[in-house]
Amino acid sequence: MTVPRSTLLNAAYDHLRDAILDGTLAPGSRVTVRPLAEELGLSPTPIKAALAALERQGFLVAVPHRGYFVPEAGNDDLLELYELREALDGIAARRAAGAPDHARIAVQLGRLLAKQRKAIEAGHLHTYGELDLAFHRLIWEGSGSRRLIPIAENLTAQVRLGNRLSAQAPGRLPFAVEEHEAILEAIRSGDSGAAEQHIRLHVRQAGNALRQYLRSQGIAEQAEEAGQAGQAGQAEEVAQAEEVDHAEQPER
């Protein structure tokens, strides 16, 4: 029986993405085809396709004549990514609160928020991180903007490389959950302005927590080539999303 090519690609993609997110492939690591093909028992074709997909989404960077690397973003790079995400999440929350189905979106957000509280009580930071991403992704999807979602996903792929640091900032998670609650209530009530204001504050506070944690740990800033690749392109994408937002509104 022949296994569909898409299945092999998905298997390679999921394996690599998980390895990057859980730190098995550390920042700065070079990722090559042959060892991965041998480890996974796959041909080079799905491995190459998976690497290309991960590079497009920001999980990897391609360095000419050297191959693919896990991004090694410095402090300034990570904080800049939070600034870009603040703008995008603000657009998404405003549009989600103004959508005809904003009440349905709020119900789904409420379920995720309840799971987040349980994850914090149990001390499961990884689970909380996945639920946090699901919370924000639901708002992106609720925005009704097809262009915003892939841009936001691209930024988040890289922000997640530093998310486990901000989550370790003392006392941060209880505040993050309360900020989620404020976002949820604004969307539930259909208050677009409040939804945008609350989510911008939430992302900004997450960035501040990361900054404070890095300072407390004495982590020196790094400006590696891999970490800087694509920053200008991402800023341009955010600007384009904001321009599109003026002309693109959810259907009433």
Side-chain angles (χ1 to χ4, degrees):
M1 178 178 178
T2 302
V3 178
R5 180 177 298 180
S6 60
T7 300
L8 298 176
L9 169 58
N10 289 338
Y13 174 91
D14 290 342
H15 174 84
L16 287 167
R17 181 177 180 275
D18 290 344
I20 293 169
L21 292 176
D22 67 17
T24 301
L25 287 173
S29 299
R30 185 182 181 189
V31 185
T32 53
V33 174
R34 182 173 294 178
L36 287 170
E38 294 175 354
E39 177 184 353
L40 299 177
L42 299 174
S43 70
T45 300
I47 300 295
K48 291 178 181 177
L51 291 173
L54 290 164
E55 190 270 334
R56 288 194 299 272
Q57 295 174 356
F59 285 98
L60 294 172
V61 291
V63 179
H65 310 299
R66 295 181 62 194
Y68 292 100
F69 291 81
V70 178
E72 190 172 12
N75 296 357
D76 288 343
D77 298 317
L78 288 173
L79 295 172
E80 179 181 287
L81 288 168
Y82 274 100
E83 291 178 359
L84 297 177
R85 221 192 90 191
E86 179 184 333
L88 283 172
D89 278 33
I91 294 172
R94 169 162 48 82
R95 292 170 62 94
D101 60 344
H102 65 89
R104 178 190 61 80
I105 296 170
V107 170
Q108 293 178 307
L109 290 173
R111 292 171 182 157
L112 290 171
L113 184 58
K115 293 179 180 179
Q116 289 174 11
R117 294 186 190 279
K118 291 181 179 179
I120 293 174
E121 291 175 359
H124 296 159
L125 293 184
H126 177 75
T127 300
Y128 173 81
E130 293 301 313
L131 292 168
D132 177 67
L133 177 59
F135 186 94
H136 286 269
R137 182 178 285 121
L138 181 57
I139 295 173
W140 303 338
E141 294 171 351
S143 73
S145 174
R146 293 174 299 173
R147 295 172 179 84
L148 183 146
I149 296 173
I151 297 174
E153 288 280 10
N154 181 279
L155 293 177
T156 299
Q158 298 175 60
V159 168
R160 286 185 67 178
L161 299 176
N163 265 1
R164 62 180 178 268
L165 297 178
S166 64
Q168 294 177 48
R172 171 58 194 159
L173 292 187
F175 284 109
V177 169
E178 294 308 313
E179 290 159 11
H180 280 175
E181 180 74 40
I183 296 164
L184 185 162
E185 290 302 327
I187 292 176
R188 190 199 310 277
S189 64
D191 190 336
S192 297
E196 178 174 8
Q197 179 182 359
H198 285 305
I199 203 166
R200 279 180 171 269
L201 176 62
H202 169 63
V203 177
R204 193 180 313 134
Q205 293 289 61
N208 290 339
L210 173 61
R211 181 185 291 107
Q212 293 170 5
Y213 180 82
L214 293 174
R215 287 175 178 171
S216 71
Q217 298 299 307
I219 300 175
E221 293 187 3
Q222 299 174 349
E224 302 294 338
E225 176 183 5
Q228 296 176 337
Q231 293 290 318
Q234 291 168 344
E236 182 178 353
E237 285 183 325
V238 172
Q240 291 172 350
E242 291 179 323
E243 290 177 3
V244 168
D245 180 52
H246 292 298
E248 183 183 86
Q249 295 296 331
E251 295 182 3
R252 300 283 178 173

